[in-house]
Amino acid sequence: MLTISQLADYVGVTVRAVRHYHQRGLLPEPDRDHSGYRRYDAQAVIDLIRIKTLAEAGVPLARIEELLAADTEQFGTAITEIDRSMQDQIRELKERRRRVAQLASGERLFLPPEIADYIEELRAAGVSDRGVLMERDGWMMLAASYPRLAPRWVAQKRADLEDPEYRAFYVTYDQAHDWKVDDPRLDALADTMAERFRKQLAEAGDHADELRMEKVLSPEEQKLFAAYVNDYSPAWVRLNEMVAKRIAR
């Protein structure tokens, strides 16, 4: 007959683990003998070996009691279920690892590849960190709400960015963030923006409305984006008003 310390040493677990198995109802706790010690017999050794083996295999403690009492067929069925659950957990962990690894890629964790590429192209063109951040956050919302149209919108943006004149214009627009609302340079910039917008609509033909976000976005979404821009720059707000008037004419 063994004491709890001897039992733990014999099987290769801690006394604390044995007591935990008692509390979980996995290992019967024997009565104390006349000297006040609990004495464990051979069956306790066998039961503890089985519990330890199942636990080390990754079987949840909540299911070990079931397996200890199962016949051969029930045991096989339960093990198959546990294995399937482990496979699901492995797949989930692999997916989580993949997403954690993407954290190093910044925007690519939150954006479709073509939009993430566009954000990188803006950086390479010389757009400020502030401007890149605004674009990134805006495209995150657009991609989530319009997964079909967002790739078309960003494809147009990327095509524009291939034009050196457009890149220069965009960098100027980015710099206009810090201009005063009465800066005379806003007039020239508004003329350029309105002309480019008219050209895009003409080239789009029957699909012009899909290229115009204001034709697609709901009034609530337009307010959301407008407020986002307002938080960035009064000059940009003024510039957008000037462009809208020119297009309306």
Side-chain angles (χ1 to χ4, degrees):
M1 302 291 283
L2 304 175
T3 64
I4 189 171
S5 297
Q6 292 169 332
L7 172 68
D9 289 341
Y10 190 92
V11 178
V13 298
T14 63
V15 171
R16 182 177 180 181
V18 176
R19 290 189 173 127
H20 181 61
Y21 296 148
H22 286 328
Q23 293 173 356
R24 296 295 299 262
L26 299 178
L27 184 68
E29 190 172 10
D31 295 330
R32 297 181 184 276
D33 62 14
H34 64 279
S35 60
Y37 289 98
R38 298 187 188 280
R39 300 290 179 173
Y40 296 84
D41 58 15
Q43 186 61 53
V45 174
I46 294 170
D47 289 343
L48 185 56
I49 290 172
R50 296 176 68 196
I51 293 169
K52 176 191 175 188
T53 302
L54 291 170
E56 289 179 345
V59 177
L61 291 183
R63 301 209 61 177
I64 288 180
E65 183 177 10
E66 168 195 348
L67 293 178
L68 292 175
D71 60 27
T72 302
E73 182 178 352
Q74 292 171 334
F75 189 90
T77 300
I79 289 297
T80 299
E81 293 175 356
I82 292 169
D83 181 64
R84 187 179 302 115
S85 175
M86 287 181 176
Q87 291 179 36
D88 292 340
Q89 292 176 37
I90 290 171
R91 281 192 291 270
E92 181 181 348
L93 285 172
K94 285 182 177 179
E95 174 61 18
R96 289 170 65 182
R97 284 194 67 199
R98 184 187 68 80
R99 293 180 65 84
V100 167
Q102 286 182 323
L103 287 171
S105 301
E107 288 79 18
R108 296 187 184 277
L109 179 65
F110 308 102
L111 294 170
E114 61 271 25
I115 297 179
D117 288 341
Y118 171 64
I119 299 301
E120 290 300 323
E121 290 163 7
L122 289 178
R123 285 196 177 97
V127 177
S128 67
D129 290 341
R130 178 206 59 239
V132 169
L133 177 64
M134 183 204 70
E135 285 271 4
R136 184 202 68 185
D137 292 349
W139 283 106
M140 282 176 59
M141 291 186 282
L142 289 172
S145 299
Y146 300 94
R148 183 181 68 84
L149 290 176
R152 297 186 60 186
W153 289 335
V154 81
Q156 179 62 56
K157 295 288 187 180
R158 295 184 70 185
D160 289 339
L161 210 57
E162 292 178 0
D163 180 358
E165 291 185 4
Y166 178 81
R167 289 200 300 273
F169 149 73
Y170 194 94
V171 171
T172 302
Y173 171 78
D174 178 53
Q175 294 169 346
H177 170 279
D178 299 320
W179 295 354
K180 296 183 181 298
V181 293
D182 58 353
D183 193 305
R185 291 175 292 180
L186 289 174
D187 282 309
L189 191 55
D191 289 339
T192 301
M193 289 178 66
E195 182 58 32
R196 294 194 65 88
F197 194 66
R198 292 192 195 96
K199 182 180 178 181
Q200 287 178 357
L201 295 180
E203 292 174 350
D206 295 337
H207 301 289
D209 281 350
E210 286 191 349
L211 284 179
R212 297 181 64 181
M213 292 183 188
E214 72 272 17
K215 291 289 187 179
V216 178
L217 271 59
S218 68
E220 291 76 16
E221 289 172 319
Q222 292 187 42
K223 290 179 182 178
L224 178 65
F225 278 93
Y228 193 61
V229 173
N230 287 346
D231 287 341
Y232 272 82
S233 167
W236 276 351
V237 175
R238 173 61 179 153
L239 183 60
N240 289 339
E241 293 171 349
M242 296 167 70
V243 172
K245 288 181 180 179
R246 283 163 169 74
I247 293 173
R249 291 200 299 266

